[in-house]
Amino acid sequence: MRPGALTLAVSALAVLGAGPPAPAPAPPLPARMADTGGGTQLITAVAPERASTTGTVTWWDREDGRWVRRGSVPARFGARGLAAGTSRKQGTNTTPTGLYGLPYAFGIKAAPTGTVYPYRRVHQDSWWCQDNDSRSYNRWTEPRAADCRAAESEHLITYRAQYAQALVIGFNYERPVRGRGAGIFLHVNGRGATAGCVSVSEDAMRRILRWADPARRPHIAVGTRTGSTAVTRL
């Protein structure tokens, strides 16, 4: 073969598309998950690893048989990272991993225009009971329940930045296990890592509330990228 002929042949093959095929794009995250809750809306809250205090929140719609990303923003997690929701302990400042429903939204501020999700306004006598000895454990009470100690509860109106607008995460909610944890929300960022909630910017929280549709049964999946608490294993 004369000099340069091999190079010309390789170039010709490349032009004709005979080179190696490009790798197929990875399926969207929800398509790789074991369970998405059965609805057609999903929020994923993913941290790099269990010790992480930051990560990403993304919200998705299922349309025409495929998941479409609608938005993605930086997120914060518990000050001591994440813990498996099935074994988490109250007071550990960890965000519980798992797949959860979103019972309702609430806030000190009014719901963003266009919100259709059930939304409860916070008042001066609004509390979230975290007292393990109370019959109102892991519930909103207004006023504070008589058997729920103030020292073991959150006076919601005092968290003016965080609870400007929020969604209740259904962790330990349907059948509360004492000592597992209470008051886990998706809320607006405070000054730093959370006490166990997931938080995003105020603008992102407004966008999520306008997007969320109870008729589409949205869930939130909280987990890590890899390992036993990977979001794909929930």
Side-chain angles (χ1 to χ4, degrees), residues 63-88:
E63 297 180 350
D64 299 323
R66 63 189 183 94
W67 287 99
V68 179
R69 186 173 68 175
R70 294 303 183 202
S72 190
V73 294
R76 296 174 180 170
F77 296 94
R80 296 185 64 185
L82 293 81
T86 53
S87 58
R88 179 186 183 268

PDB file of all heavy atoms in Angstrom, residues 63-88:
ATOM      1  N   GLU A  63     -44.119  10.827  31.160  1.00  0.00           N
ATOM      2  CA  GLU A  63     -44.943  11.173  30.007  1.00  0.00           C
ATOM      3  C   GLU A  63     -44.653  10.216  28.857  1.00  0.00           C
ATOM      4  O   GLU A  63     -43.487   9.969  28.531  1.00  0.00           O
ATOM      5  CB  GLU A  63     -44.669  12.619  29.563  1.00  0.00           C
ATOM      6  CG  GLU A  63     -45.038  13.663  30.608  1.00  0.00           C
ATOM      7  CD  GLU A  63     -44.749  15.074  30.140  1.00  0.00           C
ATOM      8  OE1 GLU A  63     -44.092  15.222  29.085  1.00  0.00           O
ATOM      9  OE2 GLU A  63     -45.163  16.016  30.832  1.00  0.00           O
ATOM     10  N   ASP A  64     -45.710   9.687  28.283  1.00  0.00           N
ATOM     11  CA  ASP A  64     -45.575   8.770  27.137  1.00  0.00           C
ATOM     12  C   ASP A  64     -44.616   7.619  27.435  1.00  0.00           C
ATOM     13  O   ASP A  64     -43.794   7.230  26.600  1.00  0.00           O
ATOM     14  CB  ASP A  64     -45.109   9.532  25.891  1.00  0.00           C
ATOM     15  CG  ASP A  64     -46.092  10.621  25.479  1.00  0.00           C
ATOM     16  OD1 ASP A  64     -47.309  10.392  25.615  1.00  0.00           O
ATOM     17  OD2 ASP A  64     -45.645  11.695  25.042  1.00  0.00           O
ATOM     18  N   GLY A  65     -44.699   7.102  28.671  1.00  0.00           N
ATOM     19  CA  GLY A  65     -43.904   5.942  29.036  1.00  0.00           C
ATOM     20  C   GLY A  65     -42.463   6.211  29.400  1.00  0.00           C
ATOM     21  O   GLY A  65     -41.690   5.274  29.590  1.00  0.00           O
ATOM     22  N   ARG A  66     -42.080   7.473  29.528  1.00  0.00           N
ATOM     23  CA  ARG A  66     -40.685   7.761  29.898  1.00  0.00           C
ATOM     24  C   ARG A  66     -40.646   8.911  30.902  1.00  0.00           C
ATOM     25  O   ARG A  66     -41.577   9.729  30.982  1.00  0.00           O
ATOM     26  CB  ARG A  66     -39.848   8.108  28.662  1.00  0.00           C
ATOM     27  CG  ARG A  66     -40.290   9.354  27.927  1.00  0.00           C
ATOM     28  CD  ARG A  66     -39.574   9.519  26.593  1.00  0.00           C
ATOM     29  NE  ARG A  66     -39.937  10.758  25.921  1.00  0.00           N
ATOM     30  CZ  ARG A  66     -39.247  11.880  26.029  1.00  0.00           C
ATOM     31  NH1 ARG A  66     -38.152  11.919  26.759  1.00  0.00           N
ATOM     32  NH2 ARG A  66     -39.644  12.962  25.380  1.00  0.00           N
ATOM     33  N   TRP A  67     -39.568   8.952  31.680  1.00  0.00           N
ATOM     34  CA  TRP A  67     -39.389   9.987  32.692  1.00  0.00           C
ATOM     35  C   TRP A  67     -38.655  11.193  32.098  1.00  0.00           C
ATOM     36  O   TRP A  67     -37.621  11.037  31.456  1.00  0.00           O
ATOM     37  CB  TRP A  67     -38.607   9.438  33.880  1.00  0.00           C
ATOM     38  CG  TRP A  67     -39.409   8.494  34.723  1.00  0.00           C
ATOM     39  CD1 TRP A  67     -39.374   7.129  34.694  1.00  0.00           C
ATOM     40  CD2 TRP A  67     -40.367   8.851  35.718  1.00  0.00           C
ATOM     41  NE1 TRP A  67     -40.252   6.615  35.605  1.00  0.00           N
ATOM     42  CE2 TRP A  67     -40.883   7.643  36.255  1.00  0.00           C
ATOM     43  CE3 TRP A  67     -40.857  10.063  36.207  1.00  0.00           C
ATOM     44  CZ2 TRP A  67     -41.843   7.620  37.258  1.00  0.00           C
ATOM     45  CZ3 TRP A  67     -41.817  10.036  37.209  1.00  0.00           C
ATOM     46  CH2 TRP A  67     -42.294   8.839  37.724  1.00  0.00           C
ATOM     47  N   VAL A  68     -39.218  12.374  32.361  1.00  0.00           N
ATOM     48  CA  VAL A  68     -38.669  13.621  31.835  1.00  0.00           C
ATOM     49  C   VAL A  68     -38.301  14.526  33.005  1.00  0.00           C
ATOM     50  O   VAL A  68     -39.131  14.777  33.888  1.00  0.00           O
ATOM     51  CB  VAL A  68     -39.689  14.335  30.922  1.00  0.00           C
ATOM     52  CG1 VAL A  68     -39.103  15.649  30.391  1.00  0.00           C
ATOM     53  CG2 VAL A  68     -40.116  13.428  29.772  1.00  0.00           C
ATOM     54  N   ARG A  69     -37.063  15.008  33.017  1.00  0.00           N
ATOM     55  CA  ARG A  69     -36.621  15.898  34.089  1.00  0.00           C
ATOM     56  C   ARG A  69     -37.217  17.280  33.901  1.00  0.00           C
ATOM     57  O   ARG A  69     -37.102  17.875  32.827  1.00  0.00           O
ATOM     58  CB  ARG A  69     -35.097  15.984  34.104  1.00  0.00           C
ATOM     59  CG  ARG A  69     -34.549  16.782  35.282  1.00  0.00           C
ATOM     60  CD  ARG A  69     -33.051  16.715  35.359  1.00  0.00           C
ATOM     61  NE  ARG A  69     -32.424  17.424  34.247  1.00  0.00           N
ATOM     62  CZ  ARG A  69     -31.125  17.613  34.115  1.00  0.00           C
ATOM     63  NH1 ARG A  69     -30.294  17.113  35.018  1.00  0.00           N
ATOM     64  NH2 ARG A  69     -30.640  18.266  33.089  1.00  0.00           N
ATOM     65  N   ARG A  70     -37.827  17.812  34.964  1.00  0.00           N
ATOM     66  CA  ARG A  70     -38.433  19.145  34.916  1.00  0.00           C
ATOM     67  C   ARG A  70     -37.608  20.210  35.618  1.00  0.00           C
ATOM     68  O   ARG A  70     -37.759  21.401  35.344  1.00  0.00           O
ATOM     69  CB  ARG A  70     -39.837  19.102  35.537  1.00  0.00           C
ATOM     70  CG  ARG A  70     -40.832  18.281  34.757  1.00  0.00           C
ATOM     71  CD  ARG A  70     -40.951  18.782  33.335  1.00  0.00           C
ATOM     72  NE  ARG A  70     -41.963  18.070  32.562  1.00  0.00           N
ATOM     73  CZ  ARG A  70     -41.984  18.017  31.247  1.00  0.00           C
ATOM     74  NH1 ARG A  70     -41.034  18.620  30.545  1.00  0.00           N
ATOM     75  NH2 ARG A  70     -42.937  17.357  30.618  1.00  0.00           N
ATOM     76  N   GLY A  71     -36.759  19.802  36.526  1.00  0.00           N
ATOM     77  CA  GLY A  71     -35.924  20.772  37.227  1.00  0.00           C
ATOM     78  C   GLY A  71     -34.929  20.055  38.115  1.00  0.00           C
ATOM     79  O   GLY A  71     -35.158  18.910  38.527  1.00  0.00           O
ATOM     80  N   SER A  72     -33.808  20.710  38.416  1.00  0.00           N
ATOM     81  CA  SER A  72     -32.777  20.117  39.256  1.00  0.00           C
ATOM     82  C   SER A  72     -32.017  21.238  39.965  1.00  0.00           C
ATOM     83  O   SER A  72     -31.616  22.224  39.318  1.00  0.00           O
ATOM     84  CB  SER A  72     -31.819  19.267  38.421  1.00  0.00           C
ATOM     85  OG  SER A  72     -30.955  18.518  39.226  1.00  0.00           O
ATOM     86  N   VAL A  73     -31.842  21.101  41.274  1.00  0.00           N
ATOM     87  CA  VAL A  73     -31.221  22.166  42.064  1.00  0.00           C
ATOM     88  C   VAL A  73     -30.337  21.566  43.158  1.00  0.00           C
ATOM     89  O   VAL A  73     -30.527  20.420  43.569  1.00  0.00           O
ATOM     90  CB  VAL A  73     -32.292  23.068  42.730  1.00  0.00           C
ATOM     91  CG1 VAL A  73     -33.092  23.827  41.690  1.00  0.00           C
ATOM     92  CG2 VAL A  73     -33.204  22.253  43.638  1.00  0.00           C
ATOM     93  N   PRO A  74     -29.372  22.345  43.654  1.00  0.00           N
ATOM     94  CA  PRO A  74     -28.583  21.884  44.807  1.00  0.00           C
ATOM     95  C   PRO A  74     -29.486  21.714  46.028  1.00  0.00           C
ATOM     96  O   PRO A  74     -30.477  22.430  46.200  1.00  0.00           O
ATOM     97  CB  PRO A  74     -27.574  23.023  45.020  1.00  0.00           C
ATOM     98  CG  PRO A  74     -27.518  23.740  43.716  1.00  0.00           C
ATOM     99  CD  PRO A  74     -28.893  23.640  43.137  1.00  0.00           C
ATOM    100  N   ALA A  75     -29.119  20.752  46.878  1.00  0.00           N
ATOM    101  CA  ALA A  75     -29.914  20.457  48.070  1.00  0.00           C
ATOM    102  C   ALA A  75     -28.994  20.266  49.273  1.00  0.00           C
ATOM    103  O   ALA A  75     -27.799  19.990  49.130  1.00  0.00           O
ATOM    104  CB  ALA A  75     -30.757  19.203  47.849  1.00  0.00           C
ATOM    105  N   ARG A  76     -29.600  20.398  50.452  1.00  0.00           N
ATOM    106  CA  ARG A  76     -28.881  20.128  51.701  1.00  0.00           C
ATOM    107  C   ARG A  76     -29.567  18.981  52.431  1.00  0.00           C
ATOM    108  O   ARG A  76     -30.777  18.804  52.333  1.00  0.00           O
ATOM    109  CB  ARG A  76     -28.866  21.377  52.591  1.00  0.00           C
ATOM    110  CG  ARG A  76     -28.109  22.556  51.989  1.00  0.00           C
ATOM    111  CD  ARG A  76     -28.272  23.788  52.851  1.00  0.00           C
ATOM    112  NE  ARG A  76     -27.559  24.935  52.297  1.00  0.00           N
ATOM    113  CZ  ARG A  76     -27.683  26.178  52.748  1.00  0.00           C
ATOM    114  NH1 ARG A  76     -28.518  26.429  53.748  1.00  0.00           N
ATOM    115  NH2 ARG A  76     -26.999  27.166  52.194  1.00  0.00           N
ATOM    116  N   PHE A  77     -28.757  18.250  53.194  1.00  0.00           N
ATOM    117  CA  PHE A  77     -29.258  17.121  53.978  1.00  0.00           C
ATOM    118  C   PHE A  77     -28.867  17.313  55.443  1.00  0.00           C
ATOM    119  O   PHE A  77     -28.402  18.369  55.841  1.00  0.00           O
ATOM    120  CB  PHE A  77     -28.694  15.812  53.412  1.00  0.00           C
ATOM    121  CG  PHE A  77     -29.144  15.523  52.007  1.00  0.00           C
ATOM    122  CD1 PHE A  77     -28.371  15.909  50.915  1.00  0.00           C
ATOM    123  CD2 PHE A  77     -30.341  14.876  51.758  1.00  0.00           C
ATOM    124  CE1 PHE A  77     -28.781  15.654  49.614  1.00  0.00           C
ATOM    125  CE2 PHE A  77     -30.767  14.613  50.470  1.00  0.00           C
ATOM    126  CZ  PHE A  77     -29.989  15.001  49.391  1.00  0.00           C
ATOM    127  N   GLY A  78     -29.068  16.270  56.242  1.00  0.00           N
ATOM    128  CA  GLY A  78     -28.788  16.360  57.662  1.00  0.00           C
ATOM    129  C   GLY A  78     -27.336  16.672  57.982  1.00  0.00           C
ATOM    130  O   GLY A  78     -26.422  16.301  57.243  1.00  0.00           O
ATOM    131  N   ALA A  79     -27.130  17.318  59.115  1.00  0.00           N
ATOM    132  CA  ALA A  79     -25.782  17.711  59.524  1.00  0.00           C
ATOM    133  C   ALA A  79     -24.872  16.507  59.734  1.00  0.00           C
ATOM    134  O   ALA A  79     -23.644  16.639  59.669  1.00  0.00           O
ATOM    135  CB  ALA A  79     -25.857  18.538  60.806  1.00  0.00           C
ATOM    136  N   ARG A  80     -25.465  15.328  59.973  1.00  0.00           N
ATOM    137  CA  ARG A  80     -24.674  14.102  60.109  1.00  0.00           C
ATOM    138  C   ARG A  80     -24.947  13.129  58.964  1.00  0.00           C
ATOM    139  O   ARG A  80     -24.812  11.929  59.108  1.00  0.00           O
ATOM    140  CB  ARG A  80     -24.945  13.454  61.471  1.00  0.00           C
ATOM    141  CG  ARG A  80     -24.498  14.341  62.642  1.00  0.00           C
ATOM    142  CD  ARG A  80     -24.643  13.651  63.966  1.00  0.00           C
ATOM    143  NE  ARG A  80     -23.767  12.478  64.070  1.00  0.00           N
ATOM    144  CZ  ARG A  80     -23.780  11.633  65.098  1.00  0.00           C
ATOM    145  NH1 ARG A  80     -24.633  11.823  66.104  1.00  0.00           N
ATOM    146  NH2 ARG A  80     -22.968  10.589  65.120  1.00  0.00           N
ATOM    147  N   GLY A  81     -25.333  13.692  57.823  1.00  0.00           N
ATOM    148  CA  GLY A  81     -25.502  12.890  56.630  1.00  0.00           C
ATOM    149  C   GLY A  81     -26.833  12.182  56.543  1.00  0.00           C
ATOM    150  O   GLY A  81     -27.858  12.705  57.005  1.00  0.00           O
ATOM    151  N   LEU A  82     -26.821  10.989  55.979  1.00  0.00           N
ATOM    152  CA  LEU A  82     -28.044  10.226  55.739  1.00  0.00           C
ATOM    153  C   LEU A  82     -27.978   8.899  56.490  1.00  0.00           C
ATOM    154  O   LEU A  82     -26.894   8.383  56.781  1.00  0.00           O
ATOM    155  CB  LEU A  82     -28.240   9.958  54.250  1.00  0.00           C
ATOM    156  CG  LEU A  82     -28.534  11.165  53.347  1.00  0.00           C
ATOM    157  CD1 LEU A  82     -27.264  11.934  52.982  1.00  0.00           C
ATOM    158  CD2 LEU A  82     -29.223  10.734  52.059  1.00  0.00           C
ATOM    159  N   ALA A  83     -29.162   8.351  56.796  1.00  0.00           N
ATOM    160  CA  ALA A  83     -29.248   7.051  57.468  1.00  0.00           C
ATOM    161  C   ALA A  83     -30.423   6.290  56.889  1.00  0.00           C
ATOM    162  O   ALA A  83     -31.422   6.885  56.465  1.00  0.00           O
ATOM    163  CB  ALA A  83     -29.417   7.237  58.979  1.00  0.00           C
ATOM    164  N   ALA A  84     -30.327   4.967  56.869  1.00  0.00           N
ATOM    165  CA  ALA A  84     -31.423   4.143  56.366  1.00  0.00           C
ATOM    166  C   ALA A  84     -32.694   4.447  57.155  1.00  0.00           C
ATOM    167  O   ALA A  84     -32.695   4.413  58.387  1.00  0.00           O
ATOM    168  CB  ALA A  84     -31.064   2.672  56.491  1.00  0.00           C
ATOM    169  N   GLY A  85     -33.770   4.762  56.441  1.00  0.00           N
ATOM    170  CA  GLY A  85     -35.005   5.147  57.108  1.00  0.00           C
ATOM    171  C   GLY A  85     -35.567   4.078  58.013  1.00  0.00           C
ATOM    172  O   GLY A  85     -36.239   4.380  59.006  1.00  0.00           O
ATOM    173  N   THR A  86     -35.302   2.813  57.699  1.00  0.00           N
ATOM    174  CA  THR A  86     -35.858   1.713  58.485  1.00  0.00           C
ATOM    175  C   THR A  86     -35.189   1.545  59.837  1.00  0.00           C
ATOM    176  O   THR A  86     -35.733   0.868  60.714  1.00  0.00           O
ATOM    177  CB  THR A  86     -35.733   0.392  57.710  1.00  0.00           C
ATOM    178  OG1 THR A  86     -34.361   0.221  57.307  1.00  0.00           O
ATOM    179  CG2 THR A  86     -36.618   0.409  56.467  1.00  0.00           C
ATOM    180  N   SER A  87     -34.028   2.164  60.019  1.00  0.00           N
ATOM    181  CA  SER A  87     -33.318   2.002  61.291  1.00  0.00           C
ATOM    182  C   SER A  87     -32.870   3.330  61.897  1.00  0.00           C
ATOM    183  O   SER A  87     -32.157   3.340  62.901  1.00  0.00           O
ATOM    184  CB  SER A  87     -32.095   1.090  61.101  1.00  0.00           C
ATOM    185  OG  SER A  87     -31.220   1.625  60.112  1.00  0.00           O
ATOM    186  N   ARG A  88     -33.290   4.424  61.309  1.00  0.00           N
ATOM    187  CA  ARG A  88     -32.873   5.741  61.800  1.00  0.00           C
ATOM    188  C   ARG A  88     -33.358   5.971  63.232  1.00  0.00           C
ATOM    189  O   ARG A  88     -34.416   5.499  63.639  1.00  0.00           O
ATOM    190  CB  ARG A  88     -33.443   6.828  60.890  1.00  0.00           C
ATOM    191  CG  ARG A  88     -33.089   8.250  61.322  1.00  0.00           C
ATOM    192  CD  ARG A  88     -33.809   9.267  60.458  1.00  0.00           C
ATOM    193  NE  ARG A  88     -33.446  10.632  60.792  1.00  0.00           N
ATOM    194  CZ  ARG A  88     -34.105  11.376  61.664  1.00  0.00           C
ATOM    195  NH1 ARG A  88     -35.166  10.883  62.307  1.00  0.00           N
ATOM    196  NH2 ARG A  88     -33.719  12.623  61.909  1.00  0.00           N
TER     197      ARG A  88
END
